Amino acid sequence: MKILAIECSGLVAGIAITEDENLLGEYTMNYKKTHSQTILPMLDELANMIELDLNTIDAIAVSNGPGSFTGLRIGSATAKGLGLALNKPIIPVPTVDALAYNVWGVQEQICPLMDARRQQVYTGLYTFSNGKLQTRIAQCAVDICEIVEKINETQKATVFLGDGVPVFEQYLSEHLTVPYLFAPATCNRQRAASVAVLGQKLYEAGIIENASSHKPDYLRLSQAERERQERERDFKIC
């Protein structure tokens, strides 16, 4: 099975191609350019380097959210366009699950943290058992204090990763009562390779979508939508 994976859910832009248990190629960019500028050129260059005929892929895995609203839209639009053009299914891969997959096989429980602003994070709690990812708390948008409280209740050593770590590092150090580690730069941000590997497992479980019906899972309202609701609420009060 050959999977094309697209990662645009955060600051990192990534493309990966896996074939069965092999990572044929991965292109990752974490720099000051928009994903709309980088993702298709990255795909083109990677495809040329590994002599990939896009018609030979079986499915397109895409980081499906939560994350940056703009990034998710770009990733979704790219996956939809390719899926429609190539007549290939889309595999919607939960972003936080894929981030946890970066540290496959660790003994500690895993807590990805993506900065969602306003003291909130996109997060979840995971462990690995016999090489399989186990979800203890499904991906969600919560206040940082809430996930820290849940972790303390588990009394288990925890590995943190994601762009929320530098934002909340001081809070974690002051409020955690369990041993903890921060993942290194090799695996502490989103990776398209993890999206591809987890995507294949979801494909085998029958979790696929038609390209025409695919849409991201934002997990919460956008800032513009929240502000509109607040204005409407204030208007009703007046």
Side-chain angles (χ1 to χ4, degrees), residues 156-178:
K156 292 182 179 180
T158 304
V159 175
F160 292 92
L161 70 162
D163 61 26
V165 170
V167 177
F168 296 106
E169 183 173 354
Q170 182 175 346
Y171 185 91
L172 295 174
S173 67
E174 292 174 351
H175 293 84
L176 284 169
T177 59
V178 300

Side-chain angles (χ1 to χ4, degrees), residues 10-127:
L11 295 176
V12 174
I15 293 286
I17 306 290
T18 57
E19 186 172 18
D20 298 326
E21 300 302 316
N22 297 315
L23 175 61
L24 300 183
E26 183 177 17
Y27 196 146
T28 300
M29 180 70 68
N30 185 8
Y31 196 63
K32 302 173 184 178
K33 290 187 178 181
T34 64
H35 298 331
S36 59
Q37 292 176 289
T38 59
I39 202 69
L40 287 176
M42 290 165 64
L43 172 58
D44 184 58
E45 184 168 347
L46 180 58
N48 288 335
M49 290 293 290
I50 65 173
E51 300 178 341
L52 173 69
D53 178 356
L54 287 173
N55 289 292
T56 65
I57 66 173
D58 294 289
I60 301 163
V62 61
S63 184
N64 195 53
S68 158
F69 282 71
T70 301
L72 291 174
R73 290 187 187 105
I74 292 170
S76 175
T78 303
K80 285 173 70 76
L82 290 169
L84 290 169
L86 300 170
N87 193 29
K88 304 294 182 180
I90 304 295
I91 310 168
V93 179
T95 299
V96 182
D97 294 19
L99 192 51
Y101 220 82
N102 285 6
V103 288
W104 183 92
V106 300
Q107 298 300 309
E108 298 84 359
Q109 70 180 353
I110 305 159
C111 182
L113 294 176
M114 298 171 61
D115 183 20
R117 309 295 173 88
R118 296 187 176 188
Q119 293 296 302
Q120 286 201 325
V121 288
Y122 298 122
T123 188
L125 274 184
Y126 306 84
T127 57

Side-chain angles (χ1 to χ4, degrees), residues 146-206:
E146 184 174 339
I147 191 62
V148 167
E149 182 179 346
K150 295 289 186 183
I151 291 168
N152 287 338
E153 288 174 0
T154 69
Q155 299 184 346
K156 292 182 179 180
T158 304
V159 175
F160 292 92
L161 70 162
D163 61 26
V165 170
V167 177
F168 296 106
E169 183 173 354
Q170 182 175 346
Y171 185 91
L172 295 174
S173 67
E174 292 174 351
H175 293 84
L176 284 169
T177 59
V178 300
Y180 62 92
L181 298 167
F182 297 136
T186 51
C187 57
N188 68 4
R189 295 293 188 274
Q190 288 93 325
R191 285 192 61 184
S194 292
V195 174
V197 173
L198 187 52
Q200 180 170 334
K201 296 185 180 300
L202 294 175
Y203 182 95
E204 292 167 351

